[in-house]
Amino acid sequence: MEKVQRRARAWLLGKTRPMEYRVAQLEALGHFLDEKNILDALASDMRKPPFELCCSGPVLKRAFLMLWAFSQVTQLDSAFIHKDLYGVVLILTPWNCPVHIVLMPLIGATAAGNCVIVKPSETTKNTERLVAEALPCYLDNDCFAVVTAGVEETTKLLENKFDYIFFTGTPSVGRIIMTAAAKHLTPVTLELGGKNPCYVSDNCEVQNVARRVAWGRFFNAGQTCMAPDYILCSVEMQEKLMPALREAITEFYGSSPQESPDFARIVGDKQFRRIRTLLSSGRVAIGGQTDEQECYIGEDIRA
């Protein structure tokens, strides 16, 4: 693929190695976050509330931490660890945080002096288009590129030799990524999620726990890999926690969460139907309402 070959040539020429070049690219990424259309794209894809873009806070902090590290690196000269760049890096991102999880590995790969190809998720089409159109306006196109692709095109993309691959997504796709990487002995970072039980002890402060669980569970409409999946507690604590959770949900999203501007939507019909199928288990204690036309699933808590 020409896009891969062009970045490989730039890396072999050493274009990304100078510290000044890396700093300039990190600063450019900071300017990308000023794009006004980011909010519009996220709202179109999953009605993501503006305040949830606070996820970009750690992204900016990481970029500035990298800049600070560059400024400090020459002040110590007695001992050091030498780390070299990999080369051409491929970043494959998911749909649940389609801006945040593009930028986090991109910042690290850029700071290290690599060339990068980003493949945003095709599920969040508006954000995919934004990244494809806007990001190249800020970065050096000799060293950075965005590829928009479906499953078939991504499979062909993986046939190319990369020097490192970042992937965030499901275990089933992770196996495909690792199989493709193994052909070239390419090192990979796979972030594949998992289960997140939440233990609540009998001597905790119930209102604080309820607010934290409600925030963690319903942030991004629950579509994060770190959302609490289930609570482990005593029967006595359950009797205290249920009304506290109901109160916290009302505090965050009002008496009618479907009308709240602060509650996102499920990303698409396929995911909506999958989640709705899961709702057949357990006894509904709070929420559980669904609206297929809006891809809305209310705050669902089951006993």
Side-chain angles (χ1 to χ4, degrees), residues 232-256:
L232 300 172
C233 67
S234 66
V235 175
E236 292 76 17
M237 175 51 66
Q238 179 178 326
E239 292 175 354
K240 298 176 184 177
L241 191 56
M242 283 298 186
L245 283 168
R246 191 175 290 107
E247 182 180 333
I249 290 170
T250 302
E251 177 186 353
F252 292 164
Y253 305 113
S255 57
S256 180

PDB file of all heavy atoms in Angstrom, residues 232-256:
ATOM      1  N   LEU A 232     -20.737  -6.403  43.870  1.00  0.00           N
ATOM      2  CA  LEU A 232     -20.687  -7.451  44.884  1.00  0.00           C
ATOM      3  C   LEU A 232     -20.852  -6.787  46.257  1.00  0.00           C
ATOM      4  O   LEU A 232     -20.051  -5.924  46.633  1.00  0.00           O
ATOM      5  CB  LEU A 232     -19.350  -8.190  44.827  1.00  0.00           C
ATOM      6  CG  LEU A 232     -19.022  -8.893  43.499  1.00  0.00           C
ATOM      7  CD1 LEU A 232     -17.581  -9.407  43.520  1.00  0.00           C
ATOM      8  CD2 LEU A 232     -19.986 -10.031  43.240  1.00  0.00           C
ATOM      9  N   CYS A 233     -21.910  -7.168  46.975  1.00  0.00           N
ATOM     10  CA  CYS A 233     -22.150  -6.571  48.283  1.00  0.00           C
ATOM     11  C   CYS A 233     -23.066  -7.485  49.091  1.00  0.00           C
ATOM     12  O   CYS A 233     -23.652  -8.440  48.555  1.00  0.00           O
ATOM     13  CB  CYS A 233     -22.770  -5.175  48.149  1.00  0.00           C
ATOM     14  SG  CYS A 233     -24.437  -5.164  47.462  1.00  0.00           S
ATOM     15  N   SER A 234     -23.232  -7.163  50.351  1.00  0.00           N
ATOM     16  CA  SER A 234     -24.137  -7.921  51.205  1.00  0.00           C
ATOM     17  C   SER A 234     -25.588  -7.531  50.906  1.00  0.00           C
ATOM     18  O   SER A 234     -25.855  -6.497  50.280  1.00  0.00           O
ATOM     19  CB  SER A 234     -23.822  -7.646  52.677  1.00  0.00           C
ATOM     20  OG  SER A 234     -24.107  -6.288  52.988  1.00  0.00           O
ATOM     21  N   VAL A 235     -26.520  -8.352  51.375  1.00  0.00           N
ATOM     22  CA  VAL A 235     -27.944  -8.043  51.196  1.00  0.00           C
ATOM     23  C   VAL A 235     -28.292  -6.738  51.908  1.00  0.00           C
ATOM     24  O   VAL A 235     -29.063  -5.907  51.393  1.00  0.00           O
ATOM     25  CB  VAL A 235     -28.817  -9.199  51.735  1.00  0.00           C
ATOM     26  CG1 VAL A 235     -30.296  -8.825  51.672  1.00  0.00           C
ATOM     27  CG2 VAL A 235     -28.560 -10.474  50.940  1.00  0.00           C
ATOM     28  N   GLU A 236     -27.694  -6.520  53.066  1.00  0.00           N
ATOM     29  CA  GLU A 236     -27.960  -5.293  53.823  1.00  0.00           C
ATOM     30  C   GLU A 236     -27.497  -4.059  53.041  1.00  0.00           C
ATOM     31  O   GLU A 236     -28.199  -3.044  52.989  1.00  0.00           O
ATOM     32  CB  GLU A 236     -27.252  -5.346  55.182  1.00  0.00           C
ATOM     33  CG  GLU A 236     -27.799  -6.382  56.156  1.00  0.00           C
ATOM     34  CD  GLU A 236     -27.364  -7.797  55.815  1.00  0.00           C
ATOM     35  OE1 GLU A 236     -26.397  -7.962  55.038  1.00  0.00           O
ATOM     36  OE2 GLU A 236     -28.013  -8.739  56.322  1.00  0.00           O
ATOM     37  N   MET A 237     -26.316  -4.160  52.440  1.00  0.00           N
ATOM     38  CA  MET A 237     -25.823  -3.031  51.644  1.00  0.00           C
ATOM     39  C   MET A 237     -26.676  -2.833  50.391  1.00  0.00           C
ATOM     40  O   MET A 237     -26.917  -1.701  49.972  1.00  0.00           O
ATOM     41  CB  MET A 237     -24.353  -3.262  51.275  1.00  0.00           C
ATOM     42  CG  MET A 237     -23.777  -2.186  50.342  1.00  0.00           C
ATOM     43  SD  MET A 237     -24.035  -0.485  50.886  1.00  0.00           S
ATOM     44  CE  MET A 237     -23.050  -0.444  52.372  1.00  0.00           C
ATOM     45  N   GLN A 238     -27.126  -3.909  49.776  1.00  0.00           N
ATOM     46  CA  GLN A 238     -27.978  -3.781  48.590  1.00  0.00           C
ATOM     47  C   GLN A 238     -29.235  -2.967  48.903  1.00  0.00           C
ATOM     48  O   GLN A 238     -29.650  -2.131  48.101  1.00  0.00           O
ATOM     49  CB  GLN A 238     -28.388  -5.159  48.076  1.00  0.00           C
ATOM     50  CG  GLN A 238     -29.304  -5.109  46.856  1.00  0.00           C
ATOM     51  CD  GLN A 238     -29.649  -6.495  46.347  1.00  0.00           C
ATOM     52  OE1 GLN A 238     -28.832  -7.406  46.422  1.00  0.00           O
ATOM     53  NE2 GLN A 238     -30.852  -6.666  45.846  1.00  0.00           N
ATOM     54  N   GLU A 239     -29.815  -3.199  50.060  1.00  0.00           N
ATOM     55  CA  GLU A 239     -31.030  -2.473  50.434  1.00  0.00           C
ATOM     56  C   GLU A 239     -30.765  -0.985  50.620  1.00  0.00           C
ATOM     57  O   GLU A 239     -31.642  -0.155  50.376  1.00  0.00           O
ATOM     58  CB  GLU A 239     -31.593  -3.072  51.729  1.00  0.00           C
ATOM     59  CG  GLU A 239     -32.135  -4.488  51.537  1.00  0.00           C
ATOM     60  CD  GLU A 239     -32.586  -5.124  52.845  1.00  0.00           C
ATOM     61  OE1 GLU A 239     -32.364  -4.488  53.914  1.00  0.00           O
ATOM     62  OE2 GLU A 239     -33.147  -6.236  52.801  1.00  0.00           O
ATOM     63  N   LYS A 240     -29.551  -0.626  51.022  1.00  0.00           N
ATOM     64  CA  LYS A 240     -29.193   0.789  51.154  1.00  0.00           C
ATOM     65  C   LYS A 240     -28.782   1.389  49.812  1.00  0.00           C
ATOM     66  O   LYS A 240     -29.041   2.558  49.520  1.00  0.00           O
ATOM     67  CB  LYS A 240     -28.036   0.949  52.144  1.00  0.00           C
ATOM     68  CG  LYS A 240     -28.331   0.486  53.556  1.00  0.00           C
ATOM     69  CD  LYS A 240     -27.067   0.604  54.409  1.00  0.00           C
ATOM     70  CE  LYS A 240     -27.270   0.060  55.814  1.00  0.00           C
ATOM     71  NZ  LYS A 240     -26.013   0.118  56.609  1.00  0.00           N
ATOM     72  N   LEU A 241     -28.103   0.563  49.004  1.00  0.00           N
ATOM     73  CA  LEU A 241     -27.494   1.070  47.775  1.00  0.00           C
ATOM     74  C   LEU A 241     -28.516   1.343  46.673  1.00  0.00           C
ATOM     75  O   LEU A 241     -28.368   2.304  45.905  1.00  0.00           O
ATOM     76  CB  LEU A 241     -26.444   0.077  47.278  1.00  0.00           C
ATOM     77  CG  LEU A 241     -25.519   0.535  46.150  1.00  0.00           C
ATOM     78  CD1 LEU A 241     -24.787   1.815  46.519  1.00  0.00           C
ATOM     79  CD2 LEU A 241     -24.513  -0.572  45.820  1.00  0.00           C
ATOM     80  N   MET A 242     -29.552   0.525  46.574  1.00  0.00           N
ATOM     81  CA  MET A 242     -30.539   0.699  45.507  1.00  0.00           C
ATOM     82  C   MET A 242     -31.185   2.083  45.530  1.00  0.00           C
ATOM     83  O   MET A 242     -31.203   2.788  44.509  1.00  0.00           O
ATOM     84  CB  MET A 242     -31.598  -0.402  45.571  1.00  0.00           C
ATOM     85  CG  MET A 242     -31.122  -1.735  45.035  1.00  0.00           C
ATOM     86  SD  MET A 242     -30.671  -1.633  43.290  1.00  0.00           S
ATOM     87  CE  MET A 242     -30.355  -3.363  42.954  1.00  0.00           C
ATOM     88  N   PRO A 243     -31.738   2.528  46.651  1.00  0.00           N
ATOM     89  CA  PRO A 243     -32.320   3.883  46.652  1.00  0.00           C
ATOM     90  C   PRO A 243     -31.272   4.974  46.432  1.00  0.00           C
ATOM     91  O   PRO A 243     -31.564   6.011  45.828  1.00  0.00           O
ATOM     92  CB  PRO A 243     -32.973   3.988  48.036  1.00  0.00           C
ATOM     93  CG  PRO A 243     -32.363   2.917  48.864  1.00  0.00           C
ATOM     94  CD  PRO A 243     -32.001   1.812  47.925  1.00  0.00           C
ATOM     95  N   ALA A 244     -30.042   4.738  46.913  1.00  0.00           N
ATOM     96  CA  ALA A 244     -28.980   5.731  46.706  1.00  0.00           C
ATOM     97  C   ALA A 244     -28.618   5.837  45.225  1.00  0.00           C
ATOM     98  O   ALA A 244     -28.363   6.936  44.705  1.00  0.00           O
ATOM     99  CB  ALA A 244     -27.751   5.359  47.527  1.00  0.00           C
ATOM    100  N   LEU A 245     -28.602   4.701  44.525  1.00  0.00           N
ATOM    101  CA  LEU A 245     -28.338   4.723  43.082  1.00  0.00           C
ATOM    102  C   LEU A 245     -29.457   5.443  42.339  1.00  0.00           C
ATOM    103  O   LEU A 245     -29.210   6.220  41.408  1.00  0.00           O
ATOM    104  CB  LEU A 245     -28.188   3.294  42.553  1.00  0.00           C
ATOM    105  CG  LEU A 245     -26.861   2.600  42.845  1.00  0.00           C
ATOM    106  CD1 LEU A 245     -26.956   1.112  42.538  1.00  0.00           C
ATOM    107  CD2 LEU A 245     -25.733   3.236  42.045  1.00  0.00           C
ATOM    108  N   ARG A 246     -30.699   5.178  42.740  1.00  0.00           N
ATOM    109  CA  ARG A 246     -31.835   5.839  42.109  1.00  0.00           C
ATOM    110  C   ARG A 246     -31.733   7.365  42.291  1.00  0.00           C
ATOM    111  O   ARG A 246     -31.978   8.135  41.358  1.00  0.00           O
ATOM    112  CB  ARG A 246     -33.144   5.306  42.705  1.00  0.00           C
ATOM    113  CG  ARG A 246     -34.397   5.730  41.942  1.00  0.00           C
ATOM    114  CD  ARG A 246     -35.638   5.070  42.512  1.00  0.00           C
ATOM    115  NE  ARG A 246     -35.676   3.632  42.226  1.00  0.00           N
ATOM    116  CZ  ARG A 246     -35.469   2.678  43.116  1.00  0.00           C
ATOM    117  NH1 ARG A 246     -35.187   2.977  44.382  1.00  0.00           N
ATOM    118  NH2 ARG A 246     -35.520   1.396  42.770  1.00  0.00           N
ATOM    119  N   GLU A 247     -31.317   7.776  43.471  1.00  0.00           N
ATOM    120  CA  GLU A 247     -31.155   9.207  43.750  1.00  0.00           C
ATOM    121  C   GLU A 247     -30.012   9.806  42.935  1.00  0.00           C
ATOM    122  O   GLU A 247     -30.123  10.918  42.398  1.00  0.00           O
ATOM    123  CB  GLU A 247     -30.894   9.401  45.249  1.00  0.00           C
ATOM    124  CG  GLU A 247     -30.755  10.842  45.673  1.00  0.00           C
ATOM    125  CD  GLU A 247     -30.498  10.987  47.168  1.00  0.00           C
ATOM    126  OE1 GLU A 247     -30.918  10.083  47.928  1.00  0.00           O
ATOM    127  OE2 GLU A 247     -29.876  11.990  47.576  1.00  0.00           O
ATOM    128  N   ALA A 248     -28.912   9.072  42.824  1.00  0.00           N
ATOM    129  CA  ALA A 248     -27.761   9.569  42.061  1.00  0.00           C
ATOM    130  C   ALA A 248     -28.097   9.712  40.583  1.00  0.00           C
ATOM    131  O   ALA A 248     -27.705  10.697  39.931  1.00  0.00           O
ATOM    132  CB  ALA A 248     -26.573   8.630  42.243  1.00  0.00           C
ATOM    133  N   ILE A 249     -28.822   8.752  40.038  1.00  0.00           N
ATOM    134  CA  ILE A 249     -29.213   8.824  38.621  1.00  0.00           C
ATOM    135  C   ILE A 249     -30.103  10.031  38.371  1.00  0.00           C
ATOM    136  O   ILE A 249     -29.940  10.762  37.374  1.00  0.00           O
ATOM    137  CB  ILE A 249     -29.921   7.515  38.214  1.00  0.00           C
ATOM    138  CG1 ILE A 249     -28.919   6.369  38.180  1.00  0.00           C
ATOM    139  CG2 ILE A 249     -30.590   7.669  36.847  1.00  0.00           C
ATOM    140  CD1 ILE A 249     -29.564   5.004  38.031  1.00  0.00           C
ATOM    141  N   THR A 250     -31.042  10.279  39.275  1.00  0.00           N
ATOM    142  CA  THR A 250     -31.913  11.454  39.137  1.00  0.00           C
ATOM    143  C   THR A 250     -31.116  12.735  39.255  1.00  0.00           C
ATOM    144  O   THR A 250     -31.356  13.703  38.521  1.00  0.00           O
ATOM    145  CB  THR A 250     -33.018  11.418  40.213  1.00  0.00           C
ATOM    146  OG1 THR A 250     -33.768  10.206  40.088  1.00  0.00           O
ATOM    147  CG2 THR A 250     -33.956  12.606  40.068  1.00  0.00           C
ATOM    148  N   GLU A 251     -30.138  12.743  40.156  1.00  0.00           N
ATOM    149  CA  GLU A 251     -29.280  13.923  40.323  1.00  0.00           C
ATOM    150  C   GLU A 251     -28.496  14.214  39.045  1.00  0.00           C
ATOM    151  O   GLU A 251     -28.355  15.367  38.632  1.00  0.00           O
ATOM    152  CB  GLU A 251     -28.311  13.688  41.485  1.00  0.00           C
ATOM    153  CG  GLU A 251     -27.323  14.817  41.723  1.00  0.00           C
ATOM    154  CD  GLU A 251     -26.297  14.474  42.789  1.00  0.00           C
ATOM    155  OE1 GLU A 251     -26.443  13.414  43.441  1.00  0.00           O
ATOM    156  OE2 GLU A 251     -25.345  15.253  42.960  1.00  0.00           O
ATOM    157  N   PHE A 252     -27.985  13.168  38.399  1.00  0.00           N
ATOM    158  CA  PHE A 252     -27.162  13.349  37.205  1.00  0.00           C
ATOM    159  C   PHE A 252     -27.977  13.637  35.953  1.00  0.00           C
ATOM    160  O   PHE A 252     -27.605  14.483  35.130  1.00  0.00           O
ATOM    161  CB  PHE A 252     -26.320  12.094  36.953  1.00  0.00           C
ATOM    162  CG  PHE A 252     -25.253  11.848  37.972  1.00  0.00           C
ATOM    163  CD1 PHE A 252     -24.640  10.604  38.054  1.00  0.00           C
ATOM    164  CD2 PHE A 252     -24.847  12.838  38.850  1.00  0.00           C
ATOM    165  CE1 PHE A 252     -23.646  10.358  38.988  1.00  0.00           C
ATOM    166  CE2 PHE A 252     -23.854  12.614  39.791  1.00  0.00           C
ATOM    167  CZ  PHE A 252     -23.254  11.363  39.868  1.00  0.00           C
ATOM    168  N   TYR A 253     -29.111  12.919  35.783  1.00  0.00           N
ATOM    169  CA  TYR A 253     -29.814  12.944  34.504  1.00  0.00           C
ATOM    170  C   TYR A 253     -31.271  13.400  34.582  1.00  0.00           C
ATOM    171  O   TYR A 253     -31.972  13.393  33.566  1.00  0.00           O
ATOM    172  CB  TYR A 253     -29.763  11.542  33.868  1.00  0.00           C
ATOM    173  CG  TYR A 253     -28.360  11.026  33.716  1.00  0.00           C
ATOM    174  CD1 TYR A 253     -27.915   9.922  34.446  1.00  0.00           C
ATOM    175  CD2 TYR A 253     -27.448  11.653  32.865  1.00  0.00           C
ATOM    176  CE1 TYR A 253     -26.620   9.452  34.326  1.00  0.00           C
ATOM    177  CE2 TYR A 253     -26.151  11.189  32.739  1.00  0.00           C
ATOM    178  CZ  TYR A 253     -25.741  10.087  33.471  1.00  0.00           C
ATOM    179  OH  TYR A 253     -24.451   9.645  33.349  1.00  0.00           O
ATOM    180  N   GLY A 254     -31.732  13.773  35.774  1.00  0.00           N
ATOM    181  CA  GLY A 254     -33.100  14.243  35.923  1.00  0.00           C
ATOM    182  C   GLY A 254     -34.090  13.102  36.039  1.00  0.00           C
ATOM    183  O   GLY A 254     -33.741  11.921  35.977  1.00  0.00           O
ATOM    184  N   SER A 255     -35.351  13.470  36.176  1.00  0.00           N
ATOM    185  CA  SER A 255     -36.395  12.453  36.350  1.00  0.00           C
ATOM    186  C   SER A 255     -36.710  11.716  35.057  1.00  0.00           C
ATOM    187  O   SER A 255     -37.313  10.646  35.069  1.00  0.00           O
ATOM    188  CB  SER A 255     -37.679  13.116  36.886  1.00  0.00           C
ATOM    189  OG  SER A 255     -38.104  14.154  36.007  1.00  0.00           O
ATOM    190  N   SER A 256     -36.312  12.300  33.914  1.00  0.00           N
ATOM    191  CA  SER A 256     -36.516  11.654  32.616  1.00  0.00           C
ATOM    192  C   SER A 256     -35.188  11.614  31.861  1.00  0.00           C
ATOM    193  O   SER A 256     -34.901  12.484  31.028  1.00  0.00           O
ATOM    194  CB  SER A 256     -37.573  12.400  31.792  1.00  0.00           C
ATOM    195  OG  SER A 256     -37.778  11.769  30.538  1.00  0.00           O
TER     196      SER A 256
END
